Amino acid sequence: MVRDIPDSKRRAWRIPVYNQRTLLPAQADSRCGHFTRRRHMNRVELKKGMEGWMSENGNYFIPDDWGGQVIFATSAPLNSVVFRKQGLSDTLFSSKTYVPYVSTTFIKDCLHTAEEIMHQSQFDPKEGATRSKSVENGSAFGNSKLENVLVAQSLLKGRGSNDNAAPLAGQAYVIVNMKWDTEGTSPYHAAGVVAVDGGDRITLEVFASTRTSYARKEAGCYRMYKTSGVDGHTFHGAWGSQEEYFSDSAVTFALCGK
């Protein structure tokens, strides 16, 4: 379900993909793309020929291959339905055993997917219910584009906004475009947090299509973010810097289930 988007603007609502070596827009090897991360996350070769990013305490690894659709984990506390990846074996690395997982499929709607992750339940997208609220002030999110902007505006200087946003597992990030009518082509992007490892957050994300679809065919993409820092390491830094999609006044904050 595409939320808050008039038909005249749906064709323009596109979330970018990124080259896995830089944070500049580029052609990605898959439709899901991949982000690079530094400092907390470590660049490792889990096994011969398989490089990617390891979370701070070494519990989650997202390989460059498969466009973020596969995650290796030492256990599966991921706050979503997961399955073992067929054709990949468990891997021993630094005395830990990593099991390859893929997620269940979703509808092409970022907020709807984040809400299903937060509530651990599937919802009928045709219901149109509001199931999210701000962690910081409890304001409902998802009612309308205007109300979303007003919620973001109230959190502009909040302690948990922008680069300081730090949702827990079972919560979600959201970045809201404050000037969607005049700048950028995305009203918001939400991402459910499925795991926490030290200062790193692992999300499971999907992206809107150019047309509304209720089919559960979209594979989720795993991504990794820091909860502090600059230069694109955080969720806000990664998404807010993309002027083609978000205005320079975009606001990021944490959501929880309503």
Side-chain angles (χ1 to χ4, degrees):
M1 177 180 177
V2 179
R3 297 172 184 261
D4 303 334
I5 306 173
D7 291 339
S8 62
K9 297 201 73 172
R10 279 185 181 169
R11 288 189 305 168
W13 190 19
R14 289 281 191 169
I15 298 295
V17 292
Y18 298 86
N19 185 288
Q20 58 193 18
R21 298 292 182 181
T22 71
L23 286 173
L24 298 176
Q27 287 296 112
D29 291 335
S30 88
R31 59 182 177 173
C32 289
H34 191 77
F35 284 110
T36 58
R37 294 288 172 268
R38 291 173 284 275
R39 195 171 299 175
H40 287 319
M41 289 86 75
N42 298 307
R43 186 75 182 169
V44 303
E45 185 176 44
L46 191 70
K47 58 183 177 181
K48 187 175 181 180
M50 184 185 292
E51 295 184 353
W53 293 96
M54 183 73 75
S55 58
E56 183 175 354
N57 295 322
N59 291 316
Y60 302 97
F61 172 81
I62 302 177
D64 295 338
D65 297 331
W66 302 289
Q69 293 183 9
V70 177
I71 187 169
F72 285 76
T74 55
S75 59
L78 304 177
N79 207 50
S80 61
V81 179
V82 295
F83 306 93
R84 289 184 64 101
K85 172 65 174 175
Q86 297 298 312
L88 290 179
S89 59
D90 296 357
T91 300
L92 183 65
F93 181 83
S94 294
S95 302
K96 293 183 178 181
T97 299
Y98 293 83
V99 179
Y101 294 102
V102 293
S103 78
T104 187
T105 53
F106 299 96
I107 293 165
K108 286 187 176 183
D109 183 316
C110 64
L111 183 58
H112 186 88
T113 296
E115 288 172 342
E116 291 191 337
I117 289 171
M118 289 190 290
H119 288 274
Q120 288 291 275
S121 181
Q122 288 189 349
F123 299 119
D124 182 350
K126 298 178 182 179
E127 290 178 358
T130 301
R131 300 186 176 90
S132 304
K133 64 181 180 180
S134 160
V135 169
E136 189 162 339
N137 66 14
S139 297
F141 184 87
N143 286 324
S144 70
K145 179 172 70 70
L146 175 58
E147 289 186 48
N148 291 343
V149 170
L150 292 175
V151 173
Q153 194 171 47
S154 72
L155 295 167
L156 183 59
K157 296 182 180 179
R159 290 179 298 175
S161 62
N162 296 343
D163 286 319
N164 294 318
L168 304 176
Q171 297 180 349
Y173 285 105
V174 67
I175 181 170
V176 179
N177 190 345
M178 304 293 282
K179 300 178 181 178
W180 183 54
D181 288 337
T182 58
E183 297 180 29
T185 56
S186 297
Y188 61 80
H189 176 55
V193 176
V194 296
V196 171
D197 194 21
D200 295 339
R201 299 296 186 266
I202 292 83
T203 62
L204 184 58
E205 309 177 32
V206 301
F207 308 102
S209 174
T210 54
R211 64 182 65 182
T212 300
S213 173
Y214 299 131
R216 291 186 176 275
K217 297 181 179 179
E218 190 71 4
C221 294
Y222 292 103
R223 308 221 167 159
M224 200 179 295
Y225 304 96
K226 286 176 52 180
T227 50
S228 63
V230 294
D231 299 330
H233 300 180
T234 64
F235 182 89
H236 182 74
W239 291 107
S241 61
Q242 305 308 311
E243 295 180 359
E244 181 181 355
Y245 301 92
F246 294 98
S247 65
D248 59 5
S249 60
V251 178
T252 295
F253 52 96
L255 295 175
C256 60
K258 182 174 180 288

